[in-house]
């Protein structure tokens, strides 16, 4: 089966909820969001992979026998397999040299013994060609595997990289125009790169780099990509955390009950579509199944964005309803429970907080080297809890009227956390009500309840003991020692307004509440950042 032309963003409701949009980089946009007084110091970029095939062949009524969407992707995957094979056979991996992983400084990658590297998920790509589909399509050299990045997904990720180049290289001059090597001839120090142990995230990262630094000759540039074994991964939550799974199911059920009327209507409409009714009956699923919408969305979204034939009833409006219902199943619970969001994404936020603090200390000291940009190639299940911790939809209310703002993260979605510096604009004269509550935490973080923390537990005390003669500070603790630094969080084409950053004194005086003071940002995420000891304890509760 050959795909038809996929709908464009301007032609379809579904394009807005299934495929990420990026802001237009006009001169007016750059001048408004990046005035001359503001400079970018560092960027954390977290993206969902691009368009892919379904993760399994569950809904035979709308899934073709062969997903022939990967002509170029298959060629690149073969090269990828060879490259990974060379890496693993080189035998140069060693354990960390006698240092506990908890003591690893920011930006230093974990290095695991070869025996600890399970690369099967990276290189195994089972064919998505099946025997029980309803059409007559045949497997070809373009046939994808399940969950594989398609040619359209490659284009979307390249476009994301090109957007980053247009902004951070061409418009702002923040990143260098060409790939550089470090002093030892090794991988560039400007970028810290991470991907999960899934082919689609690693290859999505490849194409982001292709858009960010196009025209590279094969073998001419080196990039170090950090990939962690599943048991050490922080980019997505681990099912081995029993309490997280129990809490998720409990809260997901409660969230679905709040929107029971819409879910019942959606389920009824699904049953009126023969191709879906057959699946629902075979799977013995009901409107109360906590994975109903996400399972249907997995196949329907892949088919829709690639322009494959679908029943007339599966149109843009239906896809938007599916996306909303999937968000209720798997995202809304994160807004309802800080404990759940902490279990889902807390370890990754722990890394972000440590990295931001390290960059500020390095920049403030006027020397040292740190990556300018960190790119994490991830999943929808990474972005969803991150958005919950950022309160990206202003904590949507329980009413169905507000549900339209809550959507499942589209393909190629990205979150960018920009650390900004502005030493010229006036700092907020008003002190946030919570600023005086900041404490020099003891080593036992459990002494301070999560909800009362004003900065992440792993932010070092030294960040608030900085001497700067021109500002009249001393080496004593100074709650405003970070006053030149701000944080802005972008989600696709809009800057988010984090709830804490709306507080008086917690945002930039000129750019508004979408640009948090550094302490405003720390306050927002503090209750979601456990220490490693706390994270382990919470999983066992």
């Amino acid at each position: 089966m050959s795909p038809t032309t996929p709908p464009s963003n301007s032609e379809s409701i579904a394009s807005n909820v299934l495929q990420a949009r990026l802001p237009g980089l006009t001169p007016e946009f750059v001048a408004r969001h990046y005035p001359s007084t503001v400079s970018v110091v560092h960027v954390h970029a977290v993206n969902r992979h691009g368009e892919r095939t379904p993760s399994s062949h569950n809904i035979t009524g709308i899934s073709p026998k062969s997903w022939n969407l990967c002509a170029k992707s298959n060629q690149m995957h073969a090269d990828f397999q060879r490259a990974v094979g060379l890496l693993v056979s080189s035998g140069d991996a060693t354990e960390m040299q006698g240092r506990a992983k908890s003591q690893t400084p920011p930006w230093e990658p974990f290095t695991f013994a070869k025996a600890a590297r399970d690369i099967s998920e990276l290189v195994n790509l089972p064919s998505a060609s099946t025997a029980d589909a309803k059409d007559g399509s045949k497997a070809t050299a373009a046939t994808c595997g399940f969950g594989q990045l398609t040619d359209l997904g490659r284009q979307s990720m390249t476009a994301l990289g090109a957007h980053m180049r247009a902004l951070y290289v061409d418009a702002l001059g923040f990143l260098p125009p060409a790939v550089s090597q470090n002093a030892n001839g090794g991988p560039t120090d400007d970028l810290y790169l991470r991907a999960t142990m899934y082919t689609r995230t690693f290859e999505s990262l490849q194409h982001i780099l292709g858009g960010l630094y196009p025209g590279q000759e094969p073998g001419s540039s080196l990039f170090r990509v950090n990939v962690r074994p599943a048991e050490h991964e922080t980019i997505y939550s681990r099912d081995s955390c029993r309490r997280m799974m129990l809490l998720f199911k409990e809260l997901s059920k409660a969230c679905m009950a709040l929107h029971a009327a819409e879910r019942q209507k959606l389920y009824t409409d699904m049953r009126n579509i023969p191709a879906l009714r057959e699946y629902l009956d075979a799977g013995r699923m009901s409107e109360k199944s906590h994975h109903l919408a996400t399972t249907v969305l997995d196949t329907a979204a892949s088919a829709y964005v690639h322009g494959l034939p679908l029943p007339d009833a599966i149109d843009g409006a239906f896809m938007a309803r599916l996306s909303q219902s999937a968000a209720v199943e798997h995202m809304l619970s994160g807004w309802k429970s800080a404990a759940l969001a902490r279990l889902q994404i807390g370890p990754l936020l722990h890394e972000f907080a440590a990295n931001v603090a390290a960059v500020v200390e390095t920049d403030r000291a006027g020397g040292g080297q740190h990556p300018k940009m960190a790119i994490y190639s991830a999943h929808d299940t990474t972005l969803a809890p991150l958005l919950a911790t950022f309160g990206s939809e202003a904590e949507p209310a329980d009413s169905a009227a507000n549900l339209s703002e809550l959507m499942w993260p589209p393909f190629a979605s990205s979150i960018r956390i920009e650390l900004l510096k502005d030493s010229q604009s006036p700092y907020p004269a008003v002190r946030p009500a919570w600023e005086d509550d900041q404490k020099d935490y003891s080593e036992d973080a459990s002494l301070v309840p999560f909800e009362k923390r004003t900065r992440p537990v792993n932010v070092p005390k030294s960040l608030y003991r900085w001497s700067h003669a021109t500002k009249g500070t001393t080496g004593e603790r100074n709650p405003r020692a970070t006053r030149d630094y701000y944080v802005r969080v972008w989600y696709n084409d809009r800057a988010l307004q984090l709830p804490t950053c709306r507080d008086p004194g917690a945002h930039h005086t000129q750019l508004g509440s979408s640009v948090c003071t550094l302490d405003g940002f720390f306050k927002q995420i503090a209750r979601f950042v456990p220490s490693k000891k706390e994270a382990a304890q919470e999983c066992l509760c």
Side-chain angles (χ1 to χ4, degrees), residues 51-79:
E51 290 86 342
R52 61 163 173 81
T53 55
S55 57
S56 62
H57 185 70
N58 288 328
I59 311 177
T60 59
I62 62 173
S63 178
K65 180 178 179 181
S66 297
W67 290 75
N68 297 326
L69 305 167
C70 298
K72 294 182 179 178
S73 291
N74 283 342
Q75 297 174 19
M76 296 198 69
H77 184 74
D79 293 335

PDB file of all heavy atoms in Angstrom, residues 51-79:
ATOM      1  N   GLU A  51       7.618  10.913  13.035  1.00  0.00           N
ATOM      2  CA  GLU A  51       6.549   9.994  12.657  1.00  0.00           C
ATOM      3  C   GLU A  51       7.098   8.578  12.486  1.00  0.00           C
ATOM      4  O   GLU A  51       8.192   8.380  11.952  1.00  0.00           O
ATOM      5  CB  GLU A  51       5.889  10.458  11.353  1.00  0.00           C
ATOM      6  CG  GLU A  51       5.066  11.723  11.495  1.00  0.00           C
ATOM      7  CD  GLU A  51       5.860  13.007  11.348  1.00  0.00           C
ATOM      8  OE1 GLU A  51       7.102  12.959  11.467  1.00  0.00           O
ATOM      9  OE2 GLU A  51       5.246  14.057  11.107  1.00  0.00           O
ATOM     10  N   ARG A  52       6.332   7.614  12.916  1.00  0.00           N
ATOM     11  CA  ARG A  52       6.765   6.218  12.896  1.00  0.00           C
ATOM     12  C   ARG A  52       5.591   5.325  12.535  1.00  0.00           C
ATOM     13  O   ARG A  52       4.444   5.767  12.444  1.00  0.00           O
ATOM     14  CB  ARG A  52       7.316   5.815  14.263  1.00  0.00           C
ATOM     15  CG  ARG A  52       6.295   5.928  15.404  1.00  0.00           C
ATOM     16  CD  ARG A  52       6.746   5.152  16.616  1.00  0.00           C
ATOM     17  NE  ARG A  52       5.915   5.335  17.787  1.00  0.00           N
ATOM     18  CZ  ARG A  52       4.775   4.711  18.024  1.00  0.00           C
ATOM     19  NH1 ARG A  52       4.267   3.889  17.121  1.00  0.00           N
ATOM     20  NH2 ARG A  52       4.108   4.924  19.156  1.00  0.00           N
ATOM     21  N   THR A  53       5.898   4.046  12.371  1.00  0.00           N
ATOM     22  CA  THR A  53       4.851   3.048  12.206  1.00  0.00           C
ATOM     23  C   THR A  53       4.313   2.662  13.580  1.00  0.00           C
ATOM     24  O   THR A  53       4.916   2.981  14.607  1.00  0.00           O
ATOM     25  CB  THR A  53       5.413   1.802  11.507  1.00  0.00           C
ATOM     26  OG1 THR A  53       6.547   1.333  12.253  1.00  0.00           O
ATOM     27  CG2 THR A  53       5.839   2.125  10.085  1.00  0.00           C
ATOM     28  N   PRO A  54       3.182   1.960  13.641  1.00  0.00           N
ATOM     29  CA  PRO A  54       2.656   1.546  14.950  1.00  0.00           C
ATOM     30  C   PRO A  54       3.634   0.629  15.669  1.00  0.00           C
ATOM     31  O   PRO A  54       4.475  -0.032  15.050  1.00  0.00           O
ATOM     32  CB  PRO A  54       1.361   0.808  14.595  1.00  0.00           C
ATOM     33  CG  PRO A  54       1.000   1.267  13.232  1.00  0.00           C
ATOM     34  CD  PRO A  54       2.293   1.554  12.544  1.00  0.00           C
ATOM     35  N   SER A  55       3.511   0.568  16.979  1.00  0.00           N
ATOM     36  CA  SER A  55       4.399  -0.290  17.757  1.00  0.00           C
ATOM     37  C   SER A  55       4.008  -1.758  17.658  1.00  0.00           C
ATOM     38  O   SER A  55       4.790  -2.640  18.010  1.00  0.00           O
ATOM     39  CB  SER A  55       4.388   0.139  19.228  1.00  0.00           C
ATOM     40  OG  SER A  55       3.069   0.116  19.747  1.00  0.00           O
ATOM     41  N   SER A  56       2.800  -2.027  17.176  1.00  0.00           N
ATOM     42  CA  SER A  56       2.364  -3.409  16.973  1.00  0.00           C
ATOM     43  C   SER A  56       1.240  -3.421  15.942  1.00  0.00           C
ATOM     44  O   SER A  56       0.730  -2.370  15.553  1.00  0.00           O
ATOM     45  CB  SER A  56       1.889  -4.036  18.297  1.00  0.00           C
ATOM     46  OG  SER A  56       0.773  -3.320  18.801  1.00  0.00           O
ATOM     47  N   HIS A  57       0.864  -4.615  15.548  1.00  0.00           N
ATOM     48  CA  HIS A  57      -0.180  -4.756  14.527  1.00  0.00           C
ATOM     49  C   HIS A  57      -1.458  -5.253  15.212  1.00  0.00           C
ATOM     50  O   HIS A  57      -1.847  -6.413  15.099  1.00  0.00           O
ATOM     51  CB  HIS A  57       0.276  -5.728  13.448  1.00  0.00           C
ATOM     52  CG  HIS A  57      -0.688  -5.842  12.303  1.00  0.00           C
ATOM     53  ND1 HIS A  57      -0.883  -4.826  11.401  1.00  0.00           N
ATOM     54  CD2 HIS A  57      -1.515  -6.844  11.921  1.00  0.00           C
ATOM     55  CE1 HIS A  57      -1.783  -5.206  10.509  1.00  0.00           C
ATOM     56  NE2 HIS A  57      -2.179  -6.427  10.799  1.00  0.00           N
ATOM     57  N   ASN A  58      -2.107  -4.354  15.947  1.00  0.00           N
ATOM     58  CA  ASN A  58      -3.293  -4.741  16.708  1.00  0.00           C
ATOM     59  C   ASN A  58      -4.591  -4.545  15.942  1.00  0.00           C
ATOM     60  O   ASN A  58      -5.487  -5.381  16.002  1.00  0.00           O
ATOM     61  CB  ASN A  58      -3.366  -3.939  18.015  1.00  0.00           C
ATOM     62  CG  ASN A  58      -2.320  -4.366  19.020  1.00  0.00           C
ATOM     63  OD1 ASN A  58      -1.944  -5.530  19.057  1.00  0.00           O
ATOM     64  ND2 ASN A  58      -1.853  -3.429  19.827  1.00  0.00           N
ATOM     65  N   ILE A  59      -4.698  -3.447  15.216  1.00  0.00           N
ATOM     66  CA  ILE A  59      -5.975  -3.083  14.606  1.00  0.00           C
ATOM     67  C   ILE A  59      -5.899  -3.388  13.117  1.00  0.00           C
ATOM     68  O   ILE A  59      -5.571  -2.537  12.283  1.00  0.00           O
ATOM     69  CB  ILE A  59      -6.299  -1.608  14.873  1.00  0.00           C
ATOM     70  CG1 ILE A  59      -6.118  -1.290  16.356  1.00  0.00           C
ATOM     71  CG2 ILE A  59      -7.731  -1.288  14.445  1.00  0.00           C
ATOM     72  CD1 ILE A  59      -6.345   0.164  16.712  1.00  0.00           C
ATOM     73  N   THR A  60      -6.192  -4.602  12.775  1.00  0.00           N
ATOM     74  CA  THR A  60      -5.997  -5.047  11.387  1.00  0.00           C
ATOM     75  C   THR A  60      -6.916  -4.340  10.407  1.00  0.00           C
ATOM     76  O   THR A  60      -6.619  -4.260   9.225  1.00  0.00           O
ATOM     77  CB  THR A  60      -6.212  -6.556  11.296  1.00  0.00           C
ATOM     78  OG1 THR A  60      -7.544  -6.878  11.729  1.00  0.00           O
ATOM     79  CG2 THR A  60      -5.219  -7.299  12.170  1.00  0.00           C
ATOM     80  N   GLY A  61      -8.050  -3.816  10.897  1.00  0.00           N
ATOM     81  CA  GLY A  61      -8.998  -3.168   9.996  1.00  0.00           C
ATOM     82  C   GLY A  61      -8.502  -1.863   9.414  1.00  0.00           C
ATOM     83  O   GLY A  61      -8.976  -1.437   8.361  1.00  0.00           O
ATOM     84  N   ILE A  62      -7.563  -1.208  10.078  1.00  0.00           N
ATOM     85  CA  ILE A  62      -7.044   0.059   9.559  1.00  0.00           C
ATOM     86  C   ILE A  62      -5.539   0.016   9.352  1.00  0.00           C
ATOM     87  O   ILE A  62      -4.933   1.011   8.974  1.00  0.00           O
ATOM     88  CB  ILE A  62      -7.396   1.239  10.489  1.00  0.00           C
ATOM     89  CG1 ILE A  62      -6.764   1.054  11.875  1.00  0.00           C
ATOM     90  CG2 ILE A  62      -8.900   1.417  10.600  1.00  0.00           C
ATOM     91  CD1 ILE A  62      -6.927   2.271  12.780  1.00  0.00           C
ATOM     92  N   SER A  63      -4.929  -1.124   9.599  1.00  0.00           N
ATOM     93  CA  SER A  63      -3.482  -1.252   9.447  1.00  0.00           C
ATOM     94  C   SER A  63      -3.174  -2.046   8.188  1.00  0.00           C
ATOM     95  O   SER A  63      -3.657  -3.173   8.022  1.00  0.00           O
ATOM     96  CB  SER A  63      -2.892  -1.968  10.665  1.00  0.00           C
ATOM     97  OG  SER A  63      -1.499  -2.133  10.516  1.00  0.00           O
ATOM     98  N   PRO A  64      -2.382  -1.491   7.269  1.00  0.00           N
ATOM     99  CA  PRO A  64      -2.064  -2.231   6.045  1.00  0.00           C
ATOM    100  C   PRO A  64      -1.210  -3.454   6.348  1.00  0.00           C
ATOM    101  O   PRO A  64      -0.558  -3.530   7.394  1.00  0.00           O
ATOM    102  CB  PRO A  64      -1.292  -1.217   5.204  1.00  0.00           C
ATOM    103  CG  PRO A  64      -0.717  -0.274   6.187  1.00  0.00           C
ATOM    104  CD  PRO A  64      -1.714  -0.171   7.304  1.00  0.00           C
ATOM    105  N   LYS A  65      -1.213  -4.381   5.431  1.00  0.00           N
ATOM    106  CA  LYS A  65      -0.397  -5.582   5.595  1.00  0.00           C
ATOM    107  C   LYS A  65       1.081  -5.220   5.675  1.00  0.00           C
ATOM    108  O   LYS A  65       1.829  -5.790   6.477  1.00  0.00           O
ATOM    109  CB  LYS A  65      -0.648  -6.547   4.439  1.00  0.00           C
ATOM    110  CG  LYS A  65       0.160  -7.831   4.524  1.00  0.00           C
ATOM    111  CD  LYS A  65      -0.171  -8.763   3.381  1.00  0.00           C
ATOM    112  CE  LYS A  65       0.669 -10.037   3.469  1.00  0.00           C
ATOM    113  NZ  LYS A  65       0.372 -10.956   2.342  1.00  0.00           N
ATOM    114  N   SER A  66       1.498  -4.285   4.846  1.00  0.00           N
ATOM    115  CA  SER A  66       2.900  -3.848   4.848  1.00  0.00           C
ATOM    116  C   SER A  66       2.940  -2.325   4.883  1.00  0.00           C
ATOM    117  O   SER A  66       2.296  -1.663   4.071  1.00  0.00           O
ATOM    118  CB  SER A  66       3.630  -4.351   3.598  1.00  0.00           C
ATOM    119  OG  SER A  66       3.669  -5.758   3.569  1.00  0.00           O
ATOM    120  N   TRP A  67       3.696  -1.797   5.824  1.00  0.00           N
ATOM    121  CA  TRP A  67       3.878  -0.351   5.925  1.00  0.00           C
ATOM    122  C   TRP A  67       5.101   0.028   5.095  1.00  0.00           C
ATOM    123  O   TRP A  67       6.230   0.066   5.588  1.00  0.00           O
ATOM    124  CB  TRP A  67       4.068   0.052   7.392  1.00  0.00           C
ATOM    125  CG  TRP A  67       2.828  -0.100   8.220  1.00  0.00           C
ATOM    126  CD1 TRP A  67       2.294  -1.254   8.680  1.00  0.00           C
ATOM    127  CD2 TRP A  67       1.973   0.955   8.669  1.00  0.00           C
ATOM    128  NE1 TRP A  67       1.152  -0.995   9.402  1.00  0.00           N
ATOM    129  CE2 TRP A  67       0.940   0.355   9.409  1.00  0.00           C
ATOM    130  CE3 TRP A  67       1.988   2.345   8.530  1.00  0.00           C
ATOM    131  CZ2 TRP A  67      -0.082   1.111  10.005  1.00  0.00           C
ATOM    132  CZ3 TRP A  67       0.979   3.094   9.120  1.00  0.00           C
ATOM    133  CH2 TRP A  67      -0.046   2.478   9.851  1.00  0.00           C
ATOM    134  N   ASN A  68       4.860   0.322   3.830  1.00  0.00           N
ATOM    135  CA  ASN A  68       5.959   0.593   2.892  1.00  0.00           C
ATOM    136  C   ASN A  68       6.272   2.088   2.859  1.00  0.00           C
ATOM    137  O   ASN A  68       6.024   2.784   1.885  1.00  0.00           O
ATOM    138  CB  ASN A  68       5.591   0.080   1.500  1.00  0.00           C
ATOM    139  CG  ASN A  68       5.405  -1.430   1.496  1.00  0.00           C
ATOM    140  OD1 ASN A  68       6.099  -2.140   2.227  1.00  0.00           O
ATOM    141  ND2 ASN A  68       4.477  -1.920   0.693  1.00  0.00           N
ATOM    142  N   LEU A  69       6.826   2.559   3.959  1.00  0.00           N
ATOM    143  CA  LEU A  69       7.069   3.987   4.149  1.00  0.00           C
ATOM    144  C   LEU A  69       8.527   4.289   4.498  1.00  0.00           C
ATOM    145  O   LEU A  69       8.848   5.387   4.943  1.00  0.00           O
ATOM    146  CB  LEU A  69       6.173   4.517   5.285  1.00  0.00           C
ATOM    147  CG  LEU A  69       4.668   4.272   5.153  1.00  0.00           C
ATOM    148  CD1 LEU A  69       3.977   4.567   6.471  1.00  0.00           C
ATOM    149  CD2 LEU A  69       4.085   5.127   4.041  1.00  0.00           C
ATOM    150  N   CYS A  70       9.418   3.306   4.312  1.00  0.00           N
ATOM    151  CA  CYS A  70      10.769   3.433   4.858  1.00  0.00           C
ATOM    152  C   CYS A  70      11.859   3.161   3.828  1.00  0.00           C
ATOM    153  O   CYS A  70      12.885   2.537   4.150  1.00  0.00           O
ATOM    154  CB  CYS A  70      10.932   2.476   6.043  1.00  0.00           C
ATOM    155  SG  CYS A  70       9.823   2.821   7.424  1.00  0.00           S
ATOM    156  N   ALA A  71      11.686   3.627   2.609  1.00  0.00           N
ATOM    157  CA  ALA A  71      12.680   3.352   1.564  1.00  0.00           C
ATOM    158  C   ALA A  71      14.060   3.884   1.969  1.00  0.00           C
ATOM    159  O   ALA A  71      15.052   3.147   1.988  1.00  0.00           O
ATOM    160  CB  ALA A  71      12.229   3.966   0.244  1.00  0.00           C
ATOM    161  N   LYS A  72      14.133   5.157   2.312  1.00  0.00           N
ATOM    162  CA  LYS A  72      15.413   5.742   2.691  1.00  0.00           C
ATOM    163  C   LYS A  72      15.800   5.362   4.115  1.00  0.00           C
ATOM    164  O   LYS A  72      16.974   5.199   4.434  1.00  0.00           O
ATOM    165  CB  LYS A  72      15.359   7.262   2.519  1.00  0.00           C
ATOM    166  CG  LYS A  72      15.210   7.703   1.069  1.00  0.00           C
ATOM    167  CD  LYS A  72      15.220   9.218   0.930  1.00  0.00           C
ATOM    168  CE  LYS A  72      15.105   9.623  -0.532  1.00  0.00           C
ATOM    169  NZ  LYS A  72      15.075  11.096  -0.699  1.00  0.00           N
ATOM    170  N   SER A  73      14.813   5.246   4.979  1.00  0.00           N
ATOM    171  CA  SER A  73      15.091   4.889   6.371  1.00  0.00           C
ATOM    172  C   SER A  73      15.763   3.528   6.472  1.00  0.00           C
ATOM    173  O   SER A  73      16.663   3.313   7.292  1.00  0.00           O
ATOM    174  CB  SER A  73      13.805   4.897   7.197  1.00  0.00           C
ATOM    175  OG  SER A  73      13.313   6.210   7.352  1.00  0.00           O
ATOM    176  N   ASN A  74      15.333   2.585   5.636  1.00  0.00           N
ATOM    177  CA  ASN A  74      15.939   1.249   5.683  1.00  0.00           C
ATOM    178  C   ASN A  74      17.401   1.282   5.249  1.00  0.00           C
ATOM    179  O   ASN A  74      18.235   0.557   5.798  1.00  0.00           O
ATOM    180  CB  ASN A  74      15.143   0.289   4.798  1.00  0.00           C
ATOM    181  CG  ASN A  74      13.851  -0.151   5.449  1.00  0.00           C
ATOM    182  OD1 ASN A  74      13.681  -0.018   6.663  1.00  0.00           O
ATOM    183  ND2 ASN A  74      12.928  -0.669   4.659  1.00  0.00           N
ATOM    184  N   GLN A  75      17.721   2.102   4.275  1.00  0.00           N
ATOM    185  CA  GLN A  75      19.111   2.225   3.859  1.00  0.00           C
ATOM    186  C   GLN A  75      19.967   2.779   5.007  1.00  0.00           C
ATOM    187  O   GLN A  75      21.053   2.277   5.291  1.00  0.00           O
ATOM    188  CB  GLN A  75      19.216   3.155   2.649  1.00  0.00           C
ATOM    189  CG  GLN A  75      18.502   2.650   1.405  1.00  0.00           C
ATOM    190  CD  GLN A  75      18.510   3.672   0.289  1.00  0.00           C
ATOM    191  OE1 GLN A  75      19.317   4.595   0.282  1.00  0.00           O
ATOM    192  NE2 GLN A  75      17.602   3.519  -0.660  1.00  0.00           N
ATOM    193  N   MET A  76      19.440   3.780   5.671  1.00  0.00           N
ATOM    194  CA  MET A  76      20.203   4.390   6.764  1.00  0.00           C
ATOM    195  C   MET A  76      20.281   3.443   7.961  1.00  0.00           C
ATOM    196  O   MET A  76      21.276   3.427   8.685  1.00  0.00           O
ATOM    197  CB  MET A  76      19.568   5.711   7.172  1.00  0.00           C
ATOM    198  CG  MET A  76      19.596   6.746   6.077  1.00  0.00           C
ATOM    199  SD  MET A  76      19.335   8.420   6.686  1.00  0.00           S
ATOM    200  CE  MET A  76      20.840   8.707   7.595  1.00  0.00           C
ATOM    201  N   HIS A  77      19.231   2.653   8.177  1.00  0.00           N
ATOM    202  CA  HIS A  77      19.261   1.732   9.313  1.00  0.00           C
ATOM    203  C   HIS A  77      20.335   0.664   9.115  1.00  0.00           C
ATOM    204  O   HIS A  77      20.980   0.243  10.082  1.00  0.00           O
ATOM    205  CB  HIS A  77      17.898   1.073   9.517  1.00  0.00           C
ATOM    206  CG  HIS A  77      17.862   0.187  10.722  1.00  0.00           C
ATOM    207  ND1 HIS A  77      17.834   0.686  12.000  1.00  0.00           N
ATOM    208  CD2 HIS A  77      17.896  -1.163  10.850  1.00  0.00           C
ATOM    209  CE1 HIS A  77      17.832  -0.313  12.861  1.00  0.00           C
ATOM    210  NE2 HIS A  77      17.861  -1.441  12.195  1.00  0.00           N
ATOM    211  N   ALA A  78      20.522   0.231   7.887  1.00  0.00           N
ATOM    212  CA  ALA A  78      21.577  -0.751   7.626  1.00  0.00           C
ATOM    213  C   ALA A  78      22.944  -0.172   7.992  1.00  0.00           C
ATOM    214  O   ALA A  78      23.787  -0.853   8.595  1.00  0.00           O
ATOM    215  CB  ALA A  78      21.540  -1.172   6.155  1.00  0.00           C
ATOM    216  N   ASP A  79      23.163   1.105   7.640  1.00  0.00           N
ATOM    217  CA  ASP A  79      24.419   1.753   8.030  1.00  0.00           C
ATOM    218  C   ASP A  79      24.522   1.867   9.543  1.00  0.00           C
ATOM    219  O   ASP A  79      25.596   1.698  10.126  1.00  0.00           O
ATOM    220  CB  ASP A  79      24.508   3.151   7.400  1.00  0.00           C
ATOM    221  CG  ASP A  79      24.626   3.092   5.888  1.00  0.00           C
ATOM    222  OD1 ASP A  79      25.097   2.059   5.376  1.00  0.00           O
ATOM    223  OD2 ASP A  79      24.249   4.076   5.230  1.00  0.00           O
TER     224      ASP A  79
END
